[in-house]
Amino acid sequence: MNNTNTQLSAPGSAPAPAPNAVLRVPPAAPAAAAAYFGASLAFHADVSDVASALAGDGDPGFVVIDTRSTASWDQGHVPGAVHLPTALIPEQAEALLDKAVPVVTYCWGPGCNGATRAALALAQLGYQVKEMLGGFEYWAREGFEFETWEGRERRDADPLTAPMDAGDCGC
């Protein structure tokens, strides 16, 4: 680890030492940060928000797409999700999806970019799309019910991913 922390400074002057690695690169200006984080929310949804929308009365206004293989789908998936593996999107999306309805993609979890690849493929075909952050891993870890080839299951929520004594995390 490099402990020589410097911040950018005016041309011709010596770099000012940064107080720590977090501030080695200064934070963005508030307007730039607002634009970035606003855009991020246009592209992403978290599992709690997806679960809440699906649990509500009526149509949530979007469809959830599981982009994994059939073996992965059988192992567990979000109830009501459509199974559409990423590789099959170009040939099957139009038969399964309505371009007027936004799509939320998911794959295994944060270490997998399959949902991102699927979201890109769908966007290139003209669909409005968001990626569900955390994927199936966080769906199960947060204690939401899921379906397997054997039926429905629910695991206890992981206290590192979901509030234990409250209905929501407050964020």
Side-chain angles (χ1 to χ4, degrees):
M1 185 163 117
N2 185 349
N3 288 328
T4 57
N5 300 325
T6 58
Q7 287 183 321
L8 298 176
S9 55
S13 63
N20 56 54
V22 171
L23 297 175
R24 183 177 298 140
V25 175
Y36 172 84
F37 293 117
S40 179
L41 292 172
F43 298 111
H44 301 110
D46 69 31
V47 296
S48 294
D49 290 342
V50 172
S52 176
L54 294 176
D57 294 332
D59 181 359
F62 60 88
V63 62
V64 177
I65 303 296
D66 185 312
T67 67
R68 301 171 301 147
S69 68
T70 299
S72 299
W73 167 267
D74 289 346
Q75 192 173 328
H77 57 271
V78 172
V82 173
H83 185 222
L84 181 56
T86 302
L88 300 178
I89 288 172
E91 62 191 58
Q92 294 184 5
E94 285 195 27
L96 296 172
L97 305 172
D98 179 348
K99 286 189 178 176
V101 178
V103 176
V104 176
T105 64
Y106 75 89
C107 199
W108 273 113
C112 174
N113 67 2
T116 306
R117 287 193 306 271
L120 173 60
L122 288 163
Q124 289 172 332
L125 292 173
Y127 292 89
Q128 297 175 54
V129 63
K130 288 188 174 202
E131 178 183 4
M132 185 174 78
L133 297 176
F136 182 72
E137 175 189 349
Y138 275 73
W139 185 273
R141 287 182 71 187
E142 290 191 23
F144 298 117
E145 185 176 65
F146 57 92
E147 295 177 328
T148 72
W149 66 275
E150 296 178 312
R152 290 192 174 228
E153 290 186 34
R154 180 185 300 264
R155 298 183 180 159
D156 290 339
D158 180 336
L160 295 176
T161 65
M164 300 309 296
D165 297 324
D168 67 47
C169 67
C171 59

